[in-house]
Short mmCIF file of all heavy atoms in Angstrom, two decimals:
data_model
loop_
_atom_site.label_atom_id
_atom_site.label_comp_id
_atom_site.label_asym_id
_atom_site.label_seq_id
_atom_site.Cartn_x
_atom_site.Cartn_y
_atom_site.Cartn_z
N PRO A 489 -14.18 31.72 -52.26
CA PRO A 489 -12.76 31.81 -52.88
C PRO A 489 -11.71 31.69 -51.81
O PRO A 489 -11.89 32.35 -50.85
CB PRO A 489 -12.94 33.26 -53.48
CG PRO A 489 -14.39 33.70 -53.66
CD PRO A 489 -15.00 33.05 -52.41
N PHE A 490 -10.76 30.88 -52.12
CA PHE A 490 -9.66 30.71 -51.18
C PHE A 490 -8.49 30.16 -51.92
O PHE A 490 -8.61 29.20 -52.78
CB PHE A 490 -10.12 29.80 -50.04
CG PHE A 490 -9.08 29.71 -48.89
CD1 PHE A 490 -9.00 30.80 -47.96
CD2 PHE A 490 -8.13 28.79 -48.88
CE1 PHE A 490 -8.13 30.73 -46.98
CE2 PHE A 490 -7.17 28.66 -47.83
CZ PHE A 490 -7.28 29.67 -46.91
N ASP A 491 -7.36 30.68 -51.68
CA ASP A 491 -6.07 30.17 -52.38
C ASP A 491 -5.56 29.03 -51.52
O ASP A 491 -4.89 29.03 -50.45
CB ASP A 491 -5.04 31.23 -52.27
CG ASP A 491 -3.77 30.81 -53.00
OD1 ASP A 491 -3.85 29.95 -53.83
OD2 ASP A 491 -2.81 31.44 -52.62
N VAL A 492 -5.68 27.80 -52.03
CA VAL A 492 -5.10 26.62 -51.47
C VAL A 492 -3.99 26.23 -52.30
O VAL A 492 -3.96 26.09 -53.49
CB VAL A 492 -6.16 25.44 -51.58
CG1 VAL A 492 -5.53 24.12 -51.02
CG2 VAL A 492 -7.40 25.68 -50.60
N ASN A 493 -2.80 25.95 -51.69
CA ASN A 493 -1.50 25.58 -52.30
C ASN A 493 -1.85 24.34 -53.13
O ASN A 493 -2.20 23.30 -52.56
CB ASN A 493 -0.37 25.37 -51.45
CG ASN A 493 0.01 26.69 -50.72
OD1 ASN A 493 -0.08 27.82 -51.38
ND2 ASN A 493 0.56 26.69 -49.48
N PRO A 494 -1.48 24.33 -54.35
CA PRO A 494 -1.73 23.08 -55.21
C PRO A 494 -0.79 22.02 -54.86
O PRO A 494 0.50 22.43 -54.47
CB PRO A 494 -1.59 23.53 -56.56
CG PRO A 494 -0.64 24.77 -56.54
CD PRO A 494 -1.00 25.44 -55.30
N PRO A 495 -1.07 20.70 -54.98
CA PRO A 495 -0.01 19.70 -54.67
C PRO A 495 1.06 19.74 -55.74
O PRO A 495 0.93 20.29 -56.81
CB PRO A 495 -0.92 18.43 -54.96
CG PRO A 495 -2.26 18.78 -55.03
CD PRO A 495 -2.38 20.24 -55.38
N SER A 496 2.36 19.32 -55.30
CA SER A 496 3.43 19.29 -56.06
C SER A 496 4.17 17.97 -55.83
O SER A 496 3.82 17.17 -54.81
CB SER A 496 4.25 20.53 -55.85
OG SER A 496 4.90 20.36 -54.58
N VAL A 497 5.26 17.78 -56.54
CA VAL A 497 6.03 16.56 -56.48
C VAL A 497 6.65 16.56 -55.11
O VAL A 497 6.88 15.57 -54.46
CB VAL A 497 7.11 16.47 -57.57
CG1 VAL A 497 8.05 15.36 -57.27
CG2 VAL A 497 6.47 16.40 -58.84
N GLU A 498 7.06 17.76 -54.62
CA GLU A 498 7.59 17.95 -53.30
C GLU A 498 6.44 17.95 -52.26
O GLU A 498 5.46 18.57 -52.48
CB GLU A 498 8.22 19.24 -53.18
CG GLU A 498 9.45 19.34 -52.24
CD GLU A 498 10.07 20.76 -52.28
OE1 GLU A 498 9.39 21.76 -52.70
OE2 GLU A 498 11.28 20.90 -51.93
N GLY A 499 6.74 17.30 -51.08
CA GLY A 499 5.59 17.05 -50.21
C GLY A 499 5.45 18.50 -49.45
O GLY A 499 6.21 19.34 -49.37
N ALA A 500 4.27 18.74 -48.83
CA ALA A 500 3.94 19.94 -48.14
C ALA A 500 4.95 20.24 -47.05
O ALA A 500 5.30 21.36 -46.82
CB ALA A 500 2.42 19.88 -47.66
N ILE A 501 5.31 19.21 -46.29
CA ILE A 501 6.23 19.35 -45.23
C ILE A 501 7.58 19.94 -45.69
O ILE A 501 8.18 20.83 -45.12
CB ILE A 501 6.51 18.07 -44.46
CG1 ILE A 501 5.15 17.30 -43.96
CG2 ILE A 501 7.42 18.25 -43.36
CD1 ILE A 501 5.35 15.98 -43.42
N ASP A 502 8.06 19.31 -46.78
CA ASP A 502 9.26 19.77 -47.45
C ASP A 502 9.29 21.20 -47.90
O ASP A 502 10.19 21.92 -47.86
CB ASP A 502 9.82 18.83 -48.54
CG ASP A 502 9.92 17.33 -48.10
OD1 ASP A 502 10.61 17.22 -47.09
OD2 ASP A 502 9.22 16.49 -48.63
N ARG A 503 8.05 21.61 -48.47
CA ARG A 503 7.81 22.95 -48.97
C ARG A 503 8.04 23.94 -47.78
O ARG A 503 8.57 24.87 -47.87
CB ARG A 503 6.55 23.18 -49.73
CG ARG A 503 6.48 22.41 -51.03
CD ARG A 503 5.35 23.01 -51.83
NE ARG A 503 4.10 23.03 -51.15
CZ ARG A 503 3.17 21.89 -51.09
NH1 ARG A 503 3.45 20.76 -51.89
NH2 ARG A 503 1.98 21.98 -50.46
N GLU A 504 7.35 23.50 -46.72
CA GLU A 504 7.48 24.41 -45.44
C GLU A 504 8.92 24.49 -44.97
O GLU A 504 9.36 25.55 -44.51
CB GLU A 504 6.54 23.81 -44.36
CG GLU A 504 5.10 24.33 -44.28
CD GLU A 504 4.47 24.00 -42.99
OE1 GLU A 504 5.14 24.13 -42.03
OE2 GLU A 504 3.30 23.72 -43.02
N TYR A 505 9.59 23.37 -44.98
CA TYR A 505 10.90 23.30 -44.47
C TYR A 505 11.95 24.22 -45.28
O TYR A 505 12.71 25.00 -44.91
CB TYR A 505 11.53 21.89 -44.49
CG TYR A 505 12.78 21.70 -43.70
CD1 TYR A 505 13.11 22.41 -42.59
CD2 TYR A 505 13.85 20.99 -44.22
CE1 TYR A 505 14.33 22.26 -41.97
CE2 TYR A 505 14.95 20.77 -43.68
CZ TYR A 505 15.36 21.56 -42.34
OH TYR A 505 16.45 21.47 -41.79
N ALA A 506 11.60 24.11 -46.74
CA ALA A 506 12.33 24.89 -47.60
C ALA A 506 12.08 26.49 -47.39
O ALA A 506 13.04 27.26 -47.44
CB ALA A 506 11.95 24.56 -48.97
N LYS A 507 10.86 26.77 -47.13
CA LYS A 507 10.54 28.19 -46.77
C LYS A 507 11.25 28.64 -45.57
O LYS A 507 11.76 29.74 -45.45
CB LYS A 507 9.05 28.31 -46.58
CG LYS A 507 8.22 28.27 -47.93
CD LYS A 507 6.72 28.44 -47.62
CE LYS A 507 5.90 28.31 -48.82
NZ LYS A 507 4.40 28.33 -48.51
N GLU A 508 11.26 27.80 -44.51
CA GLU A 508 11.89 28.08 -43.21
C GLU A 508 13.45 28.35 -43.50
O GLU A 508 14.02 29.32 -43.01
CB GLU A 508 11.82 26.96 -42.25
CG GLU A 508 10.49 26.85 -41.51
CD GLU A 508 10.59 25.92 -40.36
OE1 GLU A 508 11.52 24.96 -40.40
OE2 GLU A 508 9.78 25.88 -39.56
N LEU A 509 14.11 27.55 -44.37
CA LEU A 509 15.53 27.68 -44.52
C LEU A 509 15.77 28.97 -45.38
O LEU A 509 16.70 29.70 -45.05
CB LEU A 509 16.01 26.46 -45.33
CG LEU A 509 16.04 25.08 -44.71
CD1 LEU A 509 16.48 24.07 -45.60
CD2 LEU A 509 17.03 25.20 -43.51
N GLU A 510 14.83 29.23 -46.29
CA GLU A 510 14.98 30.43 -47.06
C GLU A 510 14.90 31.68 -46.19
O GLU A 510 15.65 32.65 -46.35
CB GLU A 510 13.84 30.44 -48.15
CG GLU A 510 14.03 31.58 -49.13
CD GLU A 510 13.01 31.60 -50.22
OE1 GLU A 510 12.31 30.52 -50.45
OE2 GLU A 510 12.64 32.73 -50.84
N SER A 511 13.87 31.63 -45.28
CA SER A 511 13.70 32.72 -44.44
C SER A 511 14.93 32.87 -43.43
O SER A 511 15.43 34.13 -43.10
CB SER A 511 12.52 32.53 -43.42
OG SER A 511 11.34 32.45 -44.24
#
Side-chain angles (χ1 to χ4, degrees):
F490 189 81
D491 178 29
V492 176
N493 288 332
S496 70
V497 176
E498 203 176 28
I501 303 171
D502 301 306
R503 290 199 306 272
E504 265 196 41
Y505 188 45
K507 287 180 184 177
E508 278 188 349
L509 292 176
E510 187 179 339
S511 299

